[in-house]
Amino acid sequence: MTDPAPVVLFSYGTLRQPEVQIANYGRLLQGEPDVLVGYHLAPVGIADFDVIRISGKAVHTIAVASGHSDDRIEGVVFALSEAELAATDAYEADAYLRIEVTLESGRSAWAYVAF
């Protein structure tokens, strides 16, 4: 039996922090740099105490669609299992929506963005 194909996730925020990875996945992730084009970052307040405790931050950033090709968010692409993606969904605050995006490299990935 083969392992299922990994889930590709683009991260630009706290999921890149080692302590957040250990708390959510029990391991450190290896990633590759990539860019989300047509989005800019904005601050978003976090109310979930557990997320604040894990990340060390009450204010995170959120990707907001602008449609302008000069707006770019640098981040990292990670390969996750389905279970790890579910853990990521639980970690991300209610302000985030997980959508499929096409990155500058042409790679398709999940990303958490503003509604």
Side-chain angles (χ1 to χ4, degrees):
M1 180 184 249
T2 61
D3 290 332
V7 176
V8 179
L9 176 71
F10 177 75
S11 175
Y12 54 85
T14 62
L15 289 173
R16 297 180 297 171
Q17 295 176 213
E19 62 273 19
V20 172
Q21 293 175 12
I22 294 295
N24 283 298
Y25 315 121
R27 68 181 181 104
L28 292 176
L29 303 176
Q30 299 298 314
E32 300 174 15
D34 214 326
V35 177
L36 180 59
V37 178
Y39 286 79
H40 68 274
L41 291 175
V44 62
I46 304 299
D48 186 315
F49 177 75
D50 286 332
V51 172
I52 295 169
R53 179 183 51 77
I54 292 167
S55 70
K57 301 174 182 178
V59 177
H60 291 196
T61 56
I62 193 164
V64 179
S66 69
H68 299 289
S69 61
D70 55 338
D71 285 337
R72 302 163 44 85
I73 299 174
E74 294 184 7
V76 178
V77 174
F78 295 120
L80 303 178
S81 68
E82 289 287 345
E84 289 171 331
L85 183 62
T88 309
D89 285 342
Y91 170 78
E92 292 296 353
D94 292 340
Y96 294 87
L97 173 68
R98 179 166 50 93
I99 65 167
E100 193 167 5
V101 296
T102 301
L103 301 171
E104 185 174 65
S105 66
R107 183 184 306 202
S108 180
W110 290 111
Y112 292 90
V113 302
F115 284 95

